[in-house]
Amino acid sequence: ITIRNQVLIRNKVAGVIVVGGQDNIQGVAGQMLGFFAELGFTTLLKELGSAAQPAAVALHAVESRELKTADELRAFLARSVGPVALWFETEGVPPLDLKLTAVGLAARVGQARWVGLKDTPDDFLVPLRAFLEDSAVAKSVHDAKTAALALAAQGIELRGVQHDILLYSYLLQPTTAKHALADAALRHLNQILPPGVGERADGVARLAEKLRPQLEAEEMVGVYETIELPLAPVLARMERTGIRVDIAALQQMSVAFEEEISRLARCIY
């Protein structure tokens, strides 16, 4: 798709009719962004975003500051009224090799704080534990299951999750496989998230405000609250604990499969 000799999309076909494209490239790009977002075409959104900036895709702007002492963290948590949006920065491979390296917190949209846990994790874990395990404080996260796995390595049980952006995104658009926070922000907020820990927490807060009403409008709150959200910690515990495998039964299945494959091969040849 080319407008005024500028290539917006290469080797793609889109069912969209553009009016007045020769006069307003930003307006055309904005129309296409809305169309692609509605269909969940995240890759096309990213490709079009570079051509549509600055008007069509806004950069995610937020005031983010590091909390450098445990006392600063305690003071912030004491002032915070839920739901508090959280972003858990991790490294390693889940479920067992997952290390928590930083936590982003946003008590209100546009303002975020974060703490680093690589150098002095013990200083922050005491106030974090009390806050994260307090079920009375509502929390917004992205991917409660992975968050539970990362916190379990520190002996912390995440409680009080009210909004899970990954589950919201999946329930609202189950046909797309891209439910990462950055993909959800681009699709639902028309914004590109910067990589900062605090900025990611703010993105969680913005998406919670945006997606919860959509979930209510689609009458899917019951599915979310009675099935999807309660299942997240169960799956996390299953991944950490593992499951017992009946080796004898698997061997019997293997023999049966080999016999069936041999029978089918004889029929074919």
Side-chain angles (χ1 to χ4, degrees):
I1 300 174
T2 305
I3 300 176
R4 303 189 80 174
N5 298 322
Q6 182 170 355
V7 177
L8 298 183
I9 306 293
R10 294 183 184 274
N11 303 321
K12 307 289 185 183
V13 177
V16 61
I17 299 175
V18 176
V19 179
Q22 295 298 321
D23 300 324
N24 188 355
I25 188 172
Q26 296 291 346
V28 170
Q31 292 182 46
M32 295 174 66
L33 280 166
F35 175 75
F36 292 151
E38 181 179 356
L39 297 182
F41 294 165
T42 308
T43 301
L44 291 180
L45 283 171
K46 291 178 180 177
E47 293 182 18
L48 183 58
S50 60
Q53 286 187 22
V57 177
L59 289 175
H60 183 81
V62 59
E63 175 204 335
S64 179
R65 182 168 64 83
E66 181 183 7
L67 300 176
K68 297 183 178 181
T69 69
D71 288 339
E72 285 185 317
L73 175 59
R74 289 189 182 93
F76 173 81
L77 294 176
R79 295 191 305 268
S80 301
V81 179
V84 178
L86 301 165
W87 173 259
F88 299 99
E89 193 80 4
T90 62
E91 60 183 24
V93 181
L96 299 180
D97 184 25
L98 197 61
K99 183 179 180 181
L100 188 64
T101 59
V103 178
L105 309 100
R108 65 182 63 181
V109 168
Q111 295 182 5
R113 301 294 182 264
W114 65 278
V115 295
L117 301 176
K118 281 190 174 182
D119 298 327
T120 57
D122 294 339
D123 295 345
F124 296 104
L125 285 179
V126 173
L128 275 176
R129 181 191 305 277
F131 166 74
L132 294 172
E133 293 188 343
D134 188 352
S135 58
V137 180
K139 303 170 183 71
S140 304
V141 302
H142 177 273
D143 192 356
K145 178 173 73 72
T146 301
L149 289 171
L151 292 171
Q154 302 292 340
I156 299 174
E157 182 178 355
L158 179 62
R159 301 188 183 112
V161 173
Q162 182 177 357
H163 306 291
D164 186 333
I165 303 308
L166 184 144
L167 294 179
Y168 282 177
S169 177
Y170 168 73
L171 288 171
L172 291 170
Q173 286 194 306
T175 56
T176 180
K178 296 185 177 181
H179 300 289
L181 185 66
D183 294 322
L186 190 59
R187 188 162 56 242
H188 296 285
L189 301 176
N190 196 25
Q191 292 184 334
I192 297 174
L193 294 185
V197 179
E199 287 84 352
R200 294 298 169 112
D202 184 70
V204 171
R206 293 172 189 258
L207 283 164
E209 289 186 354
K210 178 81 172 182
L211 300 186
R212 180 68 182 207
Q214 294 183 25
L215 202 72
E216 294 171 352
E218 295 292 334
E219 298 182 348
M220 301 188 73
V221 174
V223 174
Y224 170 77
E225 292 183 346
T226 62
I227 299 175
E228 298 292 347
L229 186 59
L231 190 58
V234 175
L235 293 175
R237 289 195 297 270
M238 288 177 63
E239 290 187 13
R240 280 189 59 83
T241 305
I243 58 174
R244 179 175 293 179
V245 175
D246 190 332
I247 297 178
L250 286 178
Q251 290 175 338
Q252 292 177 1
M253 291 174 61
S254 179
V255 171
F257 288 154
E258 289 178 0
E259 292 176 351
E260 180 65 12
I261 291 172
S262 298
R263 185 187 69 79
L264 292 173
R266 289 193 299 270
C267 291
I268 295 172
Y269 300 108

